[in-house]
Amino acid sequence: QGQNQANTTIKLANNASGFGDGSCDASYESGSGCPAMLYSSTATRDGGWPNGAGEGGYWNDIFDLTLDTGSGNAGAVAIDWNCSNTAAIRNVTIKGSGRVGLNTSRGAGGGGNGPALVKNLTVNGSFDYGIVAGSGEVGLTFEHIFITNPKTAGFWNTNQNIWIRDLEVTASGNVPAILNQNNSNLSVIDSSFTGSGTSAIQNSAWLYARNIQTSGYASAIAGVTGTSVNEYSSTSVVKLTSAASGNSLRLPIKETPAPFTDNNFSNWAIVQNTGGDSTAAIQSALNSGKATVYFPPVATYNITGTLHIPSGVRRLLGAVSAFNAPNGAAIIECDSTSGGPVEIRSFSFAGSINIVNKCGVPLVIADVFNLNGYSNVAGSGLEVYFENAAIPGDGVIQHGGNAWARQLDVETNNTHGTTDGGNFWVLGFKTEGTGENGNGMWYTTNQGSTEIIGAFDSTPGAGNWTGYQTIDSSISISGLSAGSGLTTPLMEKHNGAVSTYSNNGVRFGGTAVPLYSGK
């Protein structure tokens, strides 16, 4: 993490030794890639994976800086990123020249990359590819991405689940903005591309596109007439009832509130952790009247009861700080009703710790790992944002109001997500587990509306699991990829009549659906 993109720069020496081969493999299809400035690896518990690939790349975060690959480094990659469950790149600029700006294609032995979040990334230089994605499994979420002057393609997706909102590519010559190939399943919305000569999006895999504007290109999508796209699915839209519109829900999208900042440390309460029961010390800090309550990552903070977040507190801020519930269960409850949004940011959880939302102000839950569950209390907690959040156990439950999520990872055999009335919008949803002890991957009821832009559902082995269940409500999902164990990925029930959709077996034996439109 740097201070910001303007004041923190890491630069590769011009003509650096080992970086000059511009013919190196940009996508790891040969098993080896190109040399990188920053190269993140999986955890040691995934030992045996070659090249630092695997599924333990937790907290591989890169924030608030600029990377400059210099000149004379034709084979350079600025970032070669392994990432899992809770990992993010935010507010990063890549400049210079070379092979790839950001490479996320390193996978091995069935272990894919992600889920993870890339937000506010600029690739501004002379790279063959701005971004390269691959590795087959899991998926990656991108939002507010700006790529300038790619020489071969702006965004090359070779074999991955990719979910994008707001991608801007400015290219010259016969250079596509997006290449989507092989077993890729891509969703891209609210994006604009400037170029010439060819089509902006060249697709030979599964593709969902919505609200795409182009300038200079021959067409927005190769083989499809028109230089703009309202809504496009590369295969027939899945509809379970004749009442379904055949379109996505287009729920209103709100940006996550900007992180609260205050450099006056007299407004910070710093929790003094003694290593025993920290409940009283944390509550004292929360009641101190300070807007920031900071948790130094010096030891695990043990919680034995319920913590209450009062009005005036703007953020609980960690640095991958650890919470534990030694008695088996604990609660962090937001009770704030004034003073602005409340953030819970950068924590790792152990034990059964749930966040209960009774806020009268917006709540932001960001950069959290292993949080057991989230729910609001009906009639309160009616505006919540999740960003780069891994929440196993009890999953996510929202009663009414509005919820927005970017990069949401839920792993459980309980219901993964619930929309009980109100609206729930998700960009990038990854699941693991069957949902058999509840209502599947996502349960929408009480006239609720759920819209998911991009979903990867990993389900274990052979079984008879039902995924997305919608009861007298509305849902749409784009870029759906489900494992073979999810035999019935889609189910709707309206006025007692049940309709289902079975595994179509087209992507690694599992389901691939560019667009599902539910009533």
Side-chain angles (χ1 to χ4, degrees), residues 278-305:
S278 299
T279 309
I282 296 172
Q283 191 61 59
S284 177
L286 291 168
N287 293 341
S288 67
K290 308 292 188 181
T292 295
V293 179
Y294 175 63
F295 297 77
V298 293
T300 297
Y301 295 83
N302 292 315
I303 309 173
T304 58

Side-chain angles (χ1 to χ4, degrees), residues 20-54:
D21 181 9
S23 66
C24 59
D25 184 358
S27 66
Y28 278 98
E29 290 182 350
S30 66
S32 60
C34 300
M37 289 184 65
L38 292 185
Y39 187 98
S40 69
S41 174
T42 189
T44 55
R45 60 179 162 274
D46 274 358
W49 297 101
N51 300 325

Side-chain angles (χ1 to χ4, degrees), residues 426-443:
V426 183
L427 176 67
F429 178 51
K430 181 261 184 178
T431 75
E432 195 166 320
T434 64
E436 63 188 291
N437 297 331
N439 297 300
M441 306 300 111
W442 205 287
Y443 185 67

Side-chain angles (χ1 to χ4, degrees), residues 11-16 19-20 68-74 76 95-98:
K11 185 179 184 302
L12 182 64
N14 297 337
N15 304 302
F19 286 84
D68 186 345
T69 57
S71 63
N73 298 312
K95 64 182 183 179
S97 62

Side-chain angles (χ1 to χ4, degrees), residues 419-470:
T419 306
D420 178 19
N423 296 334
F424 209 124
W425 179 87
V426 183
L427 176 67
F429 178 51
K430 181 261 184 178
T431 75
E432 195 166 320
T434 64
E436 63 188 291
N437 297 331
N439 297 300
M441 306 300 111
W442 205 287
Y443 185 67
T444 307
T445 188
N446 195 25
Q447 301 182 6
S449 296
T450 301
E451 181 176 21
I452 300 175
I453 308 295
F456 174 77
D457 306 307
S458 176
T459 50
N464 189 25
W465 322 123
T466 300
Y468 297 85
Q469 304 182 34
T470 305

Side-chain angles (χ1 to χ4, degrees), residues 464-468 485-491 500-503:
N464 189 25
W465 322 123
T466 300
Y468 297 85
L486 197 60
T487 53
T488 309
L490 306 173
M491 186 275 280
T500 61
Y501 181 83
S502 299
N503 172 19

